[in-house]
């Protein structure tokens, strides 16, 4: 039998106390993890500069953008779960 959503909610104790604001550690970890990912960021910025004058809309830097965020996410993933209950 599969657990219901309510069962998972109570099992994981996801309730918040009224005197505490929940803090998302992911934002802080992302800021820390941006430094090691400068190479993909520079590649994205170089691509954005190259296509800045494109009026056709056919050129894009989607691959470089996702490469940068993949690097950041990979770094965050190794640290994030130590912050969670």
């Amino acid at each position: 039998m599969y657990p219901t959503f309510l069962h998972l909610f109570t099992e994981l104790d996801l309730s918040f106390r009224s005197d505490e604001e929940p803090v998302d550690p992911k934002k802080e970890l992302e800021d820390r993890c941006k430094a090691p990912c400068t190479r993909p960021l520079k590649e994205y910025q170089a691509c954005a500069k190259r296509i800045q004058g494109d009026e056709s809309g056919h050129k894009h830097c989607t691959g470089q953008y996702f490469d940068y965020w993949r690097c950041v996410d990979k770094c965050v993933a190794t640290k994030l779960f130590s912050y969670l209950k």
Side-chain angles (χ1 to χ4, degrees):
M1 181 174 168
Y2 294 104
T4 63
F5 177 74
L6 183 58
H7 173 72
L8 289 174
F9 186 81
T10 56
E11 182 179 304
L12 295 175
D13 190 28
L14 296 175
S15 60
F16 297 106
R17 294 173 190 85
S18 60
D19 59 334
E20 294 180 8
E21 280 292 317
V23 177
D24 185 4
K26 186 175 182 238
K27 301 289 184 193
E28 183 182 332
L29 289 172
E30 281 180 345
D31 290 339
R32 285 192 221 163
C33 286
K34 287 179 181 179
C37 296
T38 55
R39 185 175 186 183
L41 177 61
K42 287 180 181 179
E43 290 173 3
Y44 170 69
Q45 290 170 336
C47 178
K49 189 175 181 180
R50 268 194 319 273
I51 67 165
Q52 193 171 17
D54 179 41
E55 298 293 326
S56 68
H58 294 293
K59 297 179 182 178
H60 57 82
C61 299
T62 306
Q64 291 83 354
Y65 177 81
F66 283 117
D67 288 344
Y68 171 66
W69 281 105
R70 184 178 305 118
C71 177
V72 173
D73 286 342
K74 185 176 179 181
C75 173
V76 169
T78 61
K79 298 170 178 68
L80 180 63
F81 289 102
S82 67
Y83 285 88
L84 302 175
K85 290 184 179 180

